[in-house]
Amino acid sequence: MEANDTIPTAESLDSDTSTKRFRAKRDAILAAAAEAINEQSAKGMTFADVARRVGLNTTSVTYYFKRKEDLAAACFEYTLEKLLAMLDESLLEPTPQARVAKYLSLNMIRLTRIQRGEETAFAILSDLRAMEEPVLGKLMAGWREVFRKTRSLWGPAANRAQTDLHGGRAHVLLENTFWLPIWLTRYDPDQYPRIEERLMDVFAHGIAGPKASWDPELIDLAHDEPEPGREAFLLAATRLINQLGYRGASVQKIASELNVTKGSFYHHLDAKDDLVLACYKRSLDTVADAQRLADERGGSHWERLSGTIATLLDVQFSERGPLLRTTALSGLPSESRTQMVDRSNRIARRFAGTMSDGIAEGSIRPVDPLIAAQALMAMQNAAFDMRKWAHTMTRERAIGYYASTLAFGLFDDRILQQ
């Protein structure tokens, strides 16, 4: 033994054991809180529920986290740390395609371990913007770092246009990996390698057939407003729920957004759950109308699909938008949530049907239509978050750049020439 080595004392061993016990219990609380956030949102999570999940009393939880907001922030920080670690590992690969493939693979490995009970899910970030300062500033800085590192998977951009395109690609990649746990439950874990391969094929080569181009014709979605003022009310509510989550968008904030009283809210809807369901119905009706009108208009199945995608992105980027994000589902009662998920799945299956017919006619590349449809759902669902990005360029260019990520794949630059 070297002269400067020390023999562990009983006190130091007890201290190490105590530290490990503390960390283990803290990690268990964080895992339970993440589970609660994913089911009920950060605002809906309670100390009592978290304590019940880990077999503790509420006082024990407050020993580790003084306030509920501290616990939610710790969960979000953990998520950001995990994402940054996966991105750092992916950035070691030599090419953009290899980096994206590595990042997808790391996500699939994590989801496989969760399915096997070997790892716990981390908290989804949909409620992050509902946090309050000064915590919000720190968390948003972490999220911007995640986005910047994801964009760097494609390497340095040669000009502003390429920077914009890389930004669209980064967002679509992130949102697809966030969307994966929602639909992956329909498959057995032994199918995960196949799903990873099929999804990466869409990322690498896109959906459009070899002779397809990007020149979509927008669909006219104009319709009569069923009740004066109701559309404006639903739009304001949708924007706030998308930004702050179901529980973060209070009735008071929605009323203030429209400069009306809370009484006006209850004139239109009986309860907040009714509001979210009405917003969802409006959004899903919009998507279904676009699909139906595209089929009625005719043309190749790629023309139908590209027209639908462009129209929905136009809605998301415009003032007449947006569509409600599926992340708002976490605040709804289970029966209502199931009803909305079923409707969303029907829309995804219709996308898959269009792709199947397009594959048969040759206008769409041979892809797994069910998996490609989920990638499309993730893209159009999350486009609301890119409104500021879209407003830095013409609407047509923003739609083209964002849609090209899945139309032609994450590594095809042809859209820059249009």
Side-chain angles (χ1 to χ4, degrees):
M1 180 179 291
E2 299 292 334
N4 60 351
D5 284 346
T6 58
I7 300 173
T9 65
E11 290 80 4
S12 66
L13 289 172
D14 286 344
S15 177
D16 287 345
T17 302
S18 178
T19 301
K20 287 178 182 177
R21 237 187 346 253
F22 178 91
R23 287 177 179 169
K25 197 163 286 187
R26 186 178 186 276
D27 288 346
I29 291 170
L30 282 173
E35 189 178 69
I37 288 171
N38 294 345
E39 290 176 11
Q40 304 160 13
S41 81
K43 293 282 186 180
M45 175 193 69
T46 65
F47 272 160
D49 182 36
V50 172
R52 179 187 58 78
R53 292 171 189 258
V54 290
L56 297 173
N57 58 45
T58 304
T59 305
S60 298
V61 176
T62 58
Y63 173 74
Y64 294 87
F65 300 94
K66 300 301 180 189
R67 302 182 308 142
K68 186 177 79 167
E69 290 74 14
D70 297 334
L71 176 54
C75 288
F76 291 140
E77 286 171 356
Y78 179 77
T79 298
L80 293 168
E81 288 168 5
K82 293 288 281 186
L83 292 173
L84 288 170
M86 288 192 290
L87 287 164
D88 284 338
E89 187 172 345
S90 302
L91 282 165
L92 298 175
E93 298 295 325
T95 66
Q97 189 161 332
R99 292 173 204 141
V100 170
K102 181 67 172 181
Y103 184 66
L104 176 60
S105 177
L106 290 172
N107 274 278
M108 293 299 293
I109 290 169
R110 179 178 63 85
L111 292 169
T112 301
R113 288 179 56 81
I114 291 170
Q115 184 68 22
R116 291 174 177 166
E118 299 167 354
E119 190 173 329
T120 57
F122 52 54
I124 56 176
L125 299 173
S126 57
D127 275 4
L128 190 144
R129 289 182 178 85
M131 300 295 288
E132 297 179 358
E133 295 292 2
V135 172
L136 176 61
K138 181 181 178 183
L139 292 174
M140 289 305 297
W143 167 247
R144 285 191 290 272
E145 178 66 7
V146 167
F147 187 84
R148 186 193 66 77
K149 279 199 175 182
T150 307
R151 190 174 59 191
S152 72
L153 294 175
W154 283 267
N159 48 51
R160 174 57 189 270
Q162 199 167 64
T163 298
D164 290 338
L165 182 57
H166 289 179
R169 289 170 174 173
H171 193 251
V172 169
L173 175 61
L174 284 169
E175 290 298 331
N176 262 279
T177 53
F178 296 158
W179 185 243
L180 262 172
I182 307 298
W183 59 271
L184 203 57
T185 54
R186 299 170 201 163
Y187 296 86
D188 291 326
D190 67 336
Q191 288 286 292
Y192 286 8
R194 172 186 169 277
I195 291 164
E196 179 183 338
E197 180 184 347
R198 301 294 178 88
L199 184 56
M200 187 60 208
D201 176 62
V202 172
F203 288 163
H205 307 295
I207 295 168
K211 296 180 181 179
S213 60
W214 181 255
D215 52 357
E217 183 182 344
L218 295 184
I219 299 161
D220 182 9
L221 293 175
H223 57 278
D224 294 332
E225 191 174 333
E227 181 184 331
R230 182 180 171 89
E231 184 73 5
F233 200 89
L234 294 180
L235 278 174
T238 298
R239 289 191 193 101
L240 278 175
I241 294 169
N242 280 352
Q243 290 168 357
L244 304 176
Y246 169 75
R247 297 188 185 269
S250 66
V251 171
Q252 184 61 57
K253 285 180 180 176
I254 295 166
S256 297
E257 180 84 359
L258 282 170
N259 197 26
V260 298
T261 64
K262 289 175 71 172
S264 296
F265 172 92
Y266 293 111
H267 167 73
H268 288 286
L269 297 142
D270 293 330
K272 191 176 173 184
D273 286 349
D274 295 332
L275 169 66
V276 178
L277 289 172
C279 289
Y280 251 113
K281 185 177 186 306
R282 172 193 164 274
S283 297
L284 295 175
D285 284 349
T286 299
V287 180
D289 284 349
Q291 292 176 317
R292 175 180 55 78
L293 291 169
D295 284 338
E296 289 177 1
R297 190 169 67 183
S300 73
H301 287 85
W302 168 246
E303 289 169 343
R304 300 179 194 196
L305 187 65
S306 61
T308 302
I309 293 169
T311 300
L312 295 174
L313 291 179
D314 185 58
V315 170
Q316 292 283 57
F317 294 153
S318 74
E319 291 308 312
R320 65 191 172 100
L323 306 175
L324 190 67
R325 292 200 60 163
T326 51
T327 48
L329 283 170
S330 61
L332 284 172
S334 59
E335 185 177 341
S336 299
R337 186 163 59 239
T338 300
Q339 181 183 351
M340 292 299 103
V341 168
D342 287 346
R343 178 87 191 278
S344 178
N345 287 337
R346 289 200 297 274
I347 286 171
R349 284 196 292 271
R350 184 157 184 167
F351 276 136
T354 299
M355 283 187 268
S356 294
D357 291 342
I359 292 167
E361 75 178 4
S363 67
I364 290 176
R365 214 171 58 78
V367 295
D368 187 314
L370 291 173
I371 290 173
Q374 292 297 341
L376 279 180
M377 291 293 284
M379 180 187 75
Q380 69 89 15
N381 178 52
F384 170 81
D385 289 343
M386 295 296 276
R387 284 158 68 89
K388 287 185 179 178
W389 169 88
H391 290 170
T392 65
M393 61 193 90
T394 65
R395 179 79 55 75
E396 184 179 14
R397 174 177 289 186
I399 292 170
Y401 281 9
Y402 202 70
S404 75
T405 57
L406 295 184
F408 306 123
L410 296 173
F411 314 102
D412 188 314
D413 287 348
R414 78 179 81 173
I415 198 69
L416 294 173
Q417 312 307 319
Q418 291 191 211

